[in-house]
Amino acid sequence: MSATGEMAGHGYYDHHSLAQHSAGSFGFPLLERAAAAVPLDDATGALVIADLGAAGGANELEPMRLAIDGLRGRGCERAVSVVHTDIPSNDFSTLFENVEGSPDSYLHQPGVFAFAAGRSFYERIFPGASVTLGWSGIAVHWLSRVPEPVPDHVYCAFATGDARAALARQSAEDWRGFLTARAAELVPGGQVVVVGGAASDDGTSGAEALMDALDASLRDAVAAKRLAADEYAAMTIPTWNRTAAEFAAPFAPDGSTTAAGLTLVEQGFQVLDDPYLAAYRESGDADAFATAASGFLRAFTEPSLIEPLDRPQPERTAIADVVYAGVRARLAADPARFETRWRVALLRIARSA
Ligand SMILES: C[S@@+](CC[C@H](N)C(=O)[O-])C[C@H]1O[C@@H](n2cnc3c(N)ncnc32)[C@H](O)[C@@H]1O
């Protein structure tokens, strides 16, 4: 089965990605350390920073600025090319509008140039030994494909038996593919920082209650004959939140260089607060909580659940409206029950010099 990890377009994701933004910020100290450590030789060509899994770009401006500041602070005067990458169906128009138009954009600095590449990060994107610094924020939990649909739920964390084993294998294969590609692309001594959607050792991502609300609402749509049973059965959100052990598996346990030529320099783990529930606790406004949290959920799940349906666009939109309204109603009825505390892995990875 093919799958798509794309986000909702036309800026919708950018306006509903508060959780991703707060997750990314935990990686900033690692990015600063990476910018302090990568080699700055006297070459005259542009130095390349790769942004892997950029979406609409709103959450990428700050890390790119930090990376550039770190390099400039070391006296690096080389031109810098920032290359935002994502899958081909990504909302690249919004990305370019943000990079060009945002007052916060790194592009306002002299000697900095912005580009984009529409290619999966599980494959080679860049020429060999051409990338000095890489960044990936909340993107590597999207799998390249779903090996088989998860029976009786749309969220992979609820998979059991053979379906679970197949997903774990796909996740391991994808992660090795990601690392193999970066090992080839990084300059010797180059580094990549990955803030990855993660799981606790028991496999939970922290979003189980929210995903249950989505699954229940989809089942309601089947019961109401808005959605066919076989349409629901084929639905799986193509994500796998890796445990710390799964992230570390391809690396040598003693921190020495692996076969791919990469070392895991730092590995951290963070449990995020729920920004939507925190706002609710301040305001007491359950409707505002439900609107924000269901909008967040819609931004990253509608493209993989509803968009693939073999129906005209207006029907798909109507189904999505009903499904996410169902989620919204569940959330409004009992906000605390849907507290979502995502787990995030923080990884700094270096190619041997
Ligand atoms: C949750 S968004 C995160 C975007 C952004 N980095 C942020 O922090 O808000 C995940 C992004 O990863 C992208 N993505 C999913 N699978 C990918 C792949 N195989 N290669 C490149 N990007 C991918 C999605 O299209 C999406 O834009």
Side-chain angles (χ1 to χ4, degrees):
M1 280 184 72
S2 68
T4 170
E6 80 183 270
M7 304 296 104
H10 307 294
Y12 189 85
Y13 170 79
D14 276 352
H15 290 111
H16 295 85
S17 59
L18 192 57
Q20 290 89 341
H21 181 75
S22 82
S25 63
F26 286 102
F28 293 169
L30 284 79
L31 186 58
E32 286 169 334
R33 290 194 278 279
V38 292
L40 303 177
D41 56 33
D42 293 331
T44 48
L47 178 155
V48 174
I49 301 177
D51 172 30
L52 304 154
N59 292 338
E60 312 310 301
L61 303 179
E62 196 172 349
M64 294 303 101
R65 208 177 48 246
L66 283 177
I68 295 163
D69 287 351
L71 300 173
R72 293 287 186 242
R74 293 173 60 197
C76 171
E77 292 178 355
R78 285 171 66 185
V80 172
S81 294
V82 173
V83 185
H84 297 282
T85 77
D86 209 294
I87 51 177
S89 54
N90 182 55
D91 182 9
F92 281 103
S93 298
T94 296
L95 172 85
F96 283 120
E97 282 160 14
N98 274 326
V99 170
E100 281 290 329
S102 168
D104 301 329
S105 179
Y106 61 83
L107 197 56
H108 306 312
Q109 300 184 30
V112 180
F113 302 85
F115 302 88
R119 188 145 227 255
S120 167
F121 49 44
Y122 296 127
E123 299 178 51
R124 281 286 300 279
I125 305 170
F126 295 90
S130 67
V131 175
T132 294
L133 198 50
W135 165 259
S136 181
I138 308 296
V140 298
H141 58 300
W142 290 96
L143 298 175
S144 63
R145 58 188 282 276
V146 176
E148 51 187 273
V150 175
D152 302 325
H153 212 288
V154 292
Y155 192 45
C156 292
F158 292 104
T160 54
D162 289 349
R164 187 171 191 85
L167 282 161
R169 273 196 306 276
Q170 185 63 51
S171 162
E173 188 183 307
D174 283 347
W175 182 228
R176 281 183 186 276
F178 180 94
L179 295 173
T180 303
R182 301 303 81 79
E185 294 167 351
L186 285 170
V187 300
Q191 302 204 357
V192 58
V193 170
V194 175
V195 178
S200 299
D201 292 344
D202 65 1
T204 55
S205 70
E208 281 71 19
L210 192 64
M211 294 302 183
D212 251 346
L214 176 55
D215 191 67
S217 191
L218 286 162
R219 288 168 185 267
D220 285 352
V222 174
K225 304 208 181 310
R226 301 293 302 246
L227 196 63
D230 60 345
E231 288 178 319
Y232 166 75
M235 288 177 171
T236 299
I237 304 165
T239 57
W240 184 262
N241 285 47
R242 298 179 182 89
T243 61
E246 287 173 319
F247 274 116
F251 298 94
D254 62 357
S256 62
T257 300
T258 63
L262 296 177
T263 305
L264 183 53
V265 183
E266 281 187 64
Q267 181 175 18
F269 182 80
Q270 189 73 38
V271 179
L272 304 185
D273 289 333
D274 182 335
Y276 303 112
L277 198 68
Y280 164 70
R281 287 188 171 132
E282 287 271 306
S283 69
D285 188 340
D287 278 337
F289 163 78
T291 300
S294 61
F296 157 78
L297 182 69
R298 183 169 183 165
F300 73 91
T301 57
E302 182 180 356
S304 52
L305 294 181
I306 309 292
E307 288 308 312
L309 294 176
D310 186 15
R311 294 177 183 242
Q313 181 62 56
E315 268 185 50
R316 297 203 298 267
T317 303
I319 291 170
D321 287 347
V322 166
V323 167
Y324 292 98
V327 173
R328 193 185 167 289
R330 283 180 165 83
L331 269 54
D334 190 358
R337 194 176 143 217
F338 297 99
E339 179 171 36
T340 300
R341 300 199 65 194
W342 292 101
R343 282 75 161 133
V344 167
L346 306 170
L347 309 166
R348 181 156 70 94
I349 298 162
R351 183 178 162 187
S352 49

